[in-house]
């Protein structure tokens, strides 16, 4: 029996400051190589302020070192987050002074290196970041109590003016002990894993719990952070943020803010003063799984001191990074060229749900409507034969509820008479511009019977509200390129079934068969319609936040297809088209006699048609 009480009793006799120090020591030993730790120490000591013999980093120091641009106004948000993470795994100690140990924990968490120590906290950084950014509902908090709590957790014997060191920071009332019934949602798995690794799990049971239900991230704060995340999405560990200075100019900054607003409005900020955890958890996990990936290289800057010569590293297990190779990669543009839709901001937005390694410096323009012409023939010529994934983007302007001309009326007649209540929301935009798209992992083909695509196909909206609609397996009508006179409708269908063939001409073809969640572009690539029916049962899952049916009808302003791949994929596409052209030329040079069947037999013997080759037009 005595042994049964020894563990918990020993844990309670260890102070949170001692446990925090022990965790920082473990992080230092197991999360960094010796040269990385030396670099971190050099960076910290060379820039640290000193007060009462305590070395720490101020907000200005942190922002200057990371080169956070003033134009984004995100410095206070980032610093406040750091002072919370520096107290990990004890939220009651937040906001912490960014001492050596506190900043070390910030870097470990931001770069996700904690996985080397905390095996059970693998996917919990997203929740921890919410806590570091959130504030308690002021109407339900007691500021006096918060101030008293801050004084109580200050380390004894440390004669520091806390008001000076933490100037401008709000106390973290989100982490006041709570008696909420839903304890499972509030439990911080990452903190639990840290305390378990220290044999200090009892500490968590005695008050180290936090309250998520009445917390929210202020909308302006989150917008500023989103703007930063859009900029650092493509950042390399040794790359300076100054390389992206052009994105902070007036016009570019306005476009960056618009993209951030499109993402922000996905979190329902029009209904609340900020971002609630329930919405945050759903949206990030489904539509923004790689949202915070750019923080990893940003905070890895701490591990590359300018005073350390990495070329002298002789460790075979941890070879020094090749500075020349890094500089070579960075010199390449993120995009070979910008399109009418795709620019650096949209590219970063895409990287929040498609891995950046498949996008940055990997996209090639296959079809740009304004260059190639808005026709299925041009589309087919540019897109087919690309043997790697592609991204389709379409931008347009919402159509009025009542058609304004004959072309709009003709398009409206092809849509089922069932009318949805309205559109999907205007977000923070004043105009009627919409942007939709799809990630298509398989090659395009003319569709006759079976659609193409697979369960990794994505349908998404980028503007005015960001959301990703993931594939379901209820049916597999993922993507169809319809171009046949026997079909009642031609065009591009994503999420809709292939229409049945008609043997006779019909002056009044049946309306489009639109899938519950689908995107359809008409045969002239002039109009499009996005349908969202919460009834479900389609090829893509319905929205998890917009719990209503809606339909977006729009005139197409721009249409693009981008190939995910490099020079090798482009070479293969050119070779495939060259082969097709040679085959077509050979067939055109053959003059057939009256006996068509005999001539075809001769062509088959010569290997020009048949034998899995396309017969084409003869």
């Amino acid at each position: 029996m005595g042994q049964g009480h020894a563990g918990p009793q020993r844990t309670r006799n260890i102070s949170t400051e001692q446990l925090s120090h022990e965790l920082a020591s473990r992080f230092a030993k197991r999360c960094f190589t010796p040269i990385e730790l030396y670099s971190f120490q050099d960076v910290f000591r060379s820039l640290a302020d000193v007060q009462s013999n305590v070395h720490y980093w101020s907000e200005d120091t942190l922002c200057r070192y990371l080169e956070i641009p003033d134009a984004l106004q995100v410095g206070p948000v980032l610093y406040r987050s750091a002072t919370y993470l520096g107290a990990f795994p004890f939220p009651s100690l937040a906001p912490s002074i960014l001492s050596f140990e506190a900043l070390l924990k910030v870097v470990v968490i931001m770069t996700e290196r904690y996985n080397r120590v905390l095996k059970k906290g693998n996917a919990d950084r997203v929740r921890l970041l919410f806590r570091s950014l959130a504030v308690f509902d002021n109407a339900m908090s007691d500021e006096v109590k918060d101030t008293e709590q801050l004084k109580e957790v200050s380390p004894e014997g440390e004669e520091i003016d806390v008001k000076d060191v933490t100037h401008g920071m709000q106390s973290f009332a989100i982490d006041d002990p709570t008696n909420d019934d839903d304890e499972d949602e509030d439990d911080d798995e990452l903190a639990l894993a840290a305390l378990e690794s220290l044999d200090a799990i009892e500490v968590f049971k005695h008050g180290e719990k936090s309250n998520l239900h009445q917390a929210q991230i202020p909308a302006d704060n989150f917008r500023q952070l989103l703007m930063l995340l859009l900029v650092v999405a493509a950042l390399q560990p040794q790359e300076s943020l100054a390389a992206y200075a052009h994105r902070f100019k007036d016009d570019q900054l306005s476009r960056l803010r618009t993209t951030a607003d499109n993402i922000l409005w996905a979190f329902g900020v029009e209904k609340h003063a900020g971002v609630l955890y329930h919405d945050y958890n759903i949206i990030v996990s489904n539509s923004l799984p790689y949202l915070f990936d750019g923080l990893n290289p940003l905070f890895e800057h701490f591990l590359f001191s300018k005073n350390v010569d990495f070329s002298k590293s002789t460790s075979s297990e941890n070879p020094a990074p090749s500075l020349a190779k890094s500089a070579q990669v960075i010199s390449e543009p993120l995009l070979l060229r910008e399109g009418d839709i795709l620019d650096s901001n949209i590219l970063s937005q895409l990287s929040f749900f498609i891995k950046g390694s498949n996008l940055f410096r990997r996209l090639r323009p296959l079809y740009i409507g304004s260059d190639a012409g808005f026709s299925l023939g041009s589309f087919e010529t540019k897109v087919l034969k690309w043997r790697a994934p592609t991204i389709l983007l379409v931008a347009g302007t919402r159509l009025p509820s009542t058609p304004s001309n004959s072309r709009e009326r003709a398009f409206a007649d092809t849509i089922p008479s069932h009318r949805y209540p309205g559109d999907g929301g205007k977000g923070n935009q004043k105009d009627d511009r919409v942007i939709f798209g799809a990630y298509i992992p398989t090659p395009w083909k003319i569709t006759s019977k079976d659609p193409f695509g697979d369960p990794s196909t994505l349908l998404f909206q980028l503007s005015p509200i960001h959301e990703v609609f993931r594939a379901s397996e209820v049916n597999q009508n993922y993507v169809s390129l319809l171009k046949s006179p026997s079909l009642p409708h031609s065009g591009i269908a994503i999420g809709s079934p292939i229409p049945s063939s008609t043997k006779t001409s019909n002056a009044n073809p049946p309306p489009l068969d639109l899938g519950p969640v689908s995107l359809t572009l008409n045969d002239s690539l002039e109009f499009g319609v996005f349908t969202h029916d919460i009834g479900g049962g389609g090829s893509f899952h319905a929205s998890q936040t917009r719990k209503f049916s809606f339909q977006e009808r729009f005139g197409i302003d721009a249409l693009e297809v981008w190939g995910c791949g490099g020079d090798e994929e482009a070479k293969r596409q050119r070779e495939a088209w060259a082969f097709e052209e040679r085959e077509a030329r050979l067939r055109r040079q053959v003059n057939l006699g009256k006996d068509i069947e005999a001539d075809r037999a001769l062509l088959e013997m010569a290997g020009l048609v048949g034998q899995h080759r396309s017969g084409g037009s003869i």
Side-chain angles (χ1 to χ4, degrees), residues 318-568:
N318 297 291
S322 174
L323 299 183
K325 182 177 180 181
S326 177
Q328 182 180 1
V329 172
I330 292 171
S331 64
E332 299 176 12
L334 297 179
L335 272 175
L336 290 177
R337 57 161 286 188
E338 289 193 349
D340 299 324
I341 305 172
L342 186 63
D343 59 11
S344 55
N345 297 318
I346 297 294
L347 180 64
S348 295
Q349 186 178 0
L350 291 172
S351 75
F352 289 164
F353 59 92
I354 302 172
K355 265 295 185 182
S357 56
N358 296 326
L359 300 177
F360 300 123
R361 305 177 180 91
R362 295 282 295 171
L363 290 185
R364 291 181 171 271
L366 302 182
Y367 169 83
I368 306 293
S370 60
D371 295 341
F374 290 88
S375 72
L376 286 179
S378 298
F379 187 95
E380 174 190 353
T381 302
K382 298 293 185 179
V383 174
L384 266 59
K385 310 302 181 185
W386 181 264
R387 300 301 178 187
T390 54
I391 296 173
L392 178 145
L393 299 173
V394 57
T397 304
R398 287 189 178 112
L399 296 175
S401 56
T402 302
S404 60
N405 55 53
S406 58
R407 297 195 309 278
E408 291 181 8
R409 189 175 300 106
F411 174 66
D413 290 341
T414 65
I415 299 176
S417 57
H418 172 70
R419 293 290 187 257
Y420 291 88
D423 55 48
K426 301 195 67 161
N428 198 33
Q429 293 188 13
K430 297 180 180 179
D431 57 20
D432 285 317
R433 180 176 170 82
V434 294
I435 301 177
F436 293 97
Y439 170 77
I440 302 161
T442 58
W444 286 76
K445 64 180 181 179
I446 300 295
T447 307
S448 57
K449 294 182 179 180
D450 299 318
F452 53 95
D454 62 32
S456 63
T457 305
L458 300 174
L459 178 60
F460 52 84
Q461 182 178 7
L462 299 181
S463 176
I465 298 175
H466 175 103
E467 185 159 9
V468 176
F469 305 92
R470 298 189 177 272
S472 73
E473 297 191 29
V474 174
N475 62 60
Q476 298 183 347
N477 297 318
Y478 298 127
V479 187
S480 301
L481 178 55
L482 307 172
K483 188 185 176 187
S484 172
S486 64
L487 296 176
H489 300 284
S490 297
I492 300 172
I494 302 174
S496 295
I498 299 175
S500 301
S501 299
T502 57
K503 295 183 179 180
T504 59
S505 61
N506 188 351
N508 297 308
L512 292 165
D513 187 2
L514 302 176
V517 179
S518 61
L519 175 66
T520 302
L521 310 182
N522 74 337
D523 56 351
S524 63
L525 302 183
E526 185 179 7
F527 299 104
V529 55
F530 176 82
T531 301
H532 178 265
D533 189 331
I534 58 173
S539 302
F540 296 92
H541 292 290
S543 172
Q544 294 181 302
T545 54
R546 287 180 279 181
K547 301 291 187 179
F548 56 91
S549 297
F550 63 89
Q551 192 170 71
E552 300 279 13
R553 304 178 186 187
F554 55 92
I556 296 176
D557 300 324
L559 178 63
E560 303 173 359
V561 177
W562 296 78
C564 304
D567 294 337
E568 187 63 29

Side-chain angles (χ1 to χ4, degrees), residues 29 39 52 75 104 106 112 187 190 198 219 262-263 267 289 329 349 398 400 415 432 436 457 478 527 542:
K29 292 177 182 178
S39 295
S52 300
L104 183 143
V106 172
E112 296 186 284
D187 284 352
L190 200 56
L198 297 172
N262 293 337
I263 300 173
F267 294 88
V329 172
Q349 186 178 0
R398 287 189 178 112
I415 299 176
D432 285 317
F436 293 97
T457 305
Y478 298 127
F527 299 104

Side-chain angles (χ1 to χ4, degrees), residues 38-206:
Y38 179 84
S39 295
F40 177 81
Q41 291 172 333
D42 182 71
V43 169
F44 179 85
R45 291 171 180 169
S46 63
L47 298 176
D49 295 321
V50 183
Q51 185 175 337
S52 300
N53 204 32
V54 174
H55 292 71
Y56 66 93
W57 273 36
S58 64
E59 175 185 324
D60 182 64
T61 303
L62 179 68
C63 293
R64 279 191 295 109
Y65 179 73
L66 295 178
E67 300 178 304
I68 305 299
D70 293 337
L72 298 184
Q73 300 179 328
V74 72
V77 178
L78 194 64
Y79 183 69
R80 185 178 186 278
S81 174
T83 62
Y84 181 96
L85 300 178
F88 179 81
F90 303 107
S92 61
L93 297 181
S96 69
I97 298 167
L98 288 188
S99 62
F100 177 85
E101 291 185 352
L103 191 57
L104 183 143
K105 286 190 285 185
V106 172
V107 174
V108 168
I109 292 170
M110 289 295 197
T111 60
E112 296 186 284
R113 292 177 176 236
Y114 55 80
N115 290 321
R116 304 177 187 180
V117 177
L118 312 177
K119 302 301 182 184
K120 293 184 178 180
N122 203 26
D124 207 43
R125 183 178 73 154
V126 171
R127 180 182 295 186
L128 188 60
L129 287 174
F130 177 87
R131 288 195 171 97
S132 74
L133 297 166
V135 297
F136 195 69
D137 187 350
N138 290 332
M140 305 180 67
S141 65
D142 187 344
E143 295 181 359
V144 176
K145 179 180 178 181
D146 295 341
T147 305
E148 292 176 353
Q149 182 187 23
L150 180 61
K151 294 178 180 178
E152 290 174 0
V153 301
S154 298
E156 295 181 1
E158 226 175 63
E159 297 181 358
I160 303 176
D161 188 344
V162 178
K163 294 182 180 179
D164 289 342
V165 177
T166 61
H167 175 68
M169 296 188 302
Q170 301 175 7
S171 59
F172 289 81
I174 178 179
D175 292 306
D176 288 345
T178 177
N179 294 320
D180 289 339
D181 294 332
D182 189 5
E183 294 184 356
D184 290 338
E185 185 176 280
D186 285 344
D187 284 352
D188 189 336
E189 294 178 5
L190 200 56
L192 282 169
L195 293 169
E196 186 175 355
S197 71
L198 297 172
D199 193 24
I201 200 66
E202 287 293 315
V203 175
F204 191 87
K205 296 179 181 179
H206 289 272

Side-chain angles (χ1 to χ4, degrees), residues 11-23:
T11 300
R12 282 194 292 270
N13 289 334
I14 299 177
S15 68
T16 55
E17 288 80 7
Q18 289 174 300
L19 290 171
S20 181
H21 171 73
E22 184 178 342
L23 180 63

